[in-house]
Amino acid sequence: MAMLTLCALVAALRVLPDRSQFFQYESVSLSCGQEGDSPAWRVKRNTSANIDQECSSERTNESHCFIEDLYPLDTGAYWCESAAGGCSDAVNIMVTAGPVILESPVLPVTEGDDVSLRCRTKSTSNLTAQFYKDGVLIGSSSTGDITVPGVSQADEGLYRCAVSGAGGSSESWLTVRAGRPEPPDSPLAGFLLPVVGACLSLVLLVLLVLLVLLCLWRNHKGRVDPDVSYTDVTITQEAQTNSIRDAAAAPTFYSTVKPGNT
């Protein structure tokens, strides 16, 4: 039974236990949003007995709905709604008086999750069950349960189970939502990564060569050549007589020479 109200999807409905099928007289708890949210949120439902009606009980507020004893008349669509026009996705809950139910997630699962399916009867604990998807047999289990590993969009569909001698369950829809998308590979990143790697390698090589040269220079600077002899040489400079100064210091005599007549 589909939800008829149009609204903005801004809330989430929680169902405990998280399954879509219940035996008659079992219990279920439904709540809106997180703990502490405004009581303006309320759980609503569309069933054969209640159309667009609030689902509440004396022991809970409007944002919680606890049904202690389920009946087939409680089969239908349940969702959260607020006075401001917000709502959640609707989930379908089925209540049966029959002998077999399929326990499968009523809330959407995410791609990559492992999903457990369990076939249960009212009386038998250990049973062999067959599981079907869209009418096609997908597996059999002597313990009554199977796991669908790493679900994808291809695993979305109608599931049911059957137990030999006991009967079969109703069909339940499994919703698979896409996981968080991975960022696309950038062509520029694919080009830059090898270039950056080559530059870093070249820088490291240059630094290594410089380090080797520095070590060689330091070793050569402090090394003494054994084939070369060394000795201390002292250079002394003797004082020289300044003949010009001595000549200048000596007395000078002048005379006049007159030529005579011959």
Side-chain angles (χ1 to χ4, degrees), residues 21-172:
Q21 295 185 20
F22 294 83
F23 285 122
Q24 182 174 309
Y25 306 126
E26 288 188 321
S27 301
V28 65
S29 173
L30 305 101
S31 60
C32 298
Q34 303 295 324
E35 293 294 337
D37 280 359
S38 170
W41 287 101
R42 56 191 181 274
V43 180
K44 303 192 71 174
R45 59 182 172 178
N46 280 342
T47 65
S48 58
N50 301 281
I51 302 299
D52 197 21
Q53 296 294 316
E54 293 185 11
C55 172
S56 60
S57 57
E58 295 181 357
R59 67 177 65 183
T60 60
N61 57 38
E62 292 179 342
S63 63
H64 292 75
C65 173
F66 178 76
I67 305 176
E68 187 171 4
D69 293 316
L70 287 165
Y71 292 91
L73 289 177
D74 293 312
T75 296
Y78 292 75
W79 71 95
C80 292
E81 189 175 307
S82 72
C87 67
S88 71
D89 286 325
V91 299
N92 292 304
I93 291 178
M94 182 175 296
V95 184
T96 180
V100 180
I101 63 172
L102 172 66
E103 293 186 352
S104 61
V106 65
L107 300 175
V109 298
T110 305
E111 279 186 321
D113 290 347
D114 295 338
V115 176
S116 296
L117 304 176
R118 182 187 179 196
C119 198
R120 187 161 68 92
T121 66
K122 290 182 177 180
S123 56
T124 307
S125 56
N126 295 324
L127 50 88
T128 298
Q130 290 78 39
F131 294 86
Y132 300 84
K133 174 184 177 293
D134 298 329
V136 179
L137 179 67
I138 59 173
S140 179
S141 170
S142 60
T143 61
D145 58 87
I146 63 172
T147 299
V148 182
V151 294
S152 65
Q153 293 289 333
D155 294 307
E156 192 172 74
L158 288 170
Y159 289 79
R160 69 178 181 89
C161 69
V163 177
S164 178
S169 71
S170 300
E171 290 184 322
S172 288

Side-chain angles (χ1 to χ4, degrees), residues 191-255:
F191 170 76
L192 288 179
L193 285 178
V195 173
V196 172
C199 291
L200 289 176
S201 300
L202 181 60
V203 170
L204 291 176
L205 179 61
V206 171
L207 290 176
L208 180 61
V209 171
L210 291 176
L211 181 61
V212 172
L213 292 176
L214 180 61
C215 293
L216 293 175
W217 178 78
R218 287 183 175 179
N219 292 338
H220 179 73
K221 184 179 180 181
R223 183 181 302 171
V224 177
D225 192 345
D227 297 331
V228 179
S229 299
Y230 298 89
T231 183
D232 294 332
V233 178
T234 303
I235 301 175
T236 59
Q237 184 175 1
E238 296 180 357
Q240 297 180 357
T241 304
N242 193 340
S243 57
I244 299 176
R245 185 184 60 185
D246 293 345
T252 304
F253 299 95
Y254 300 91
S255 63

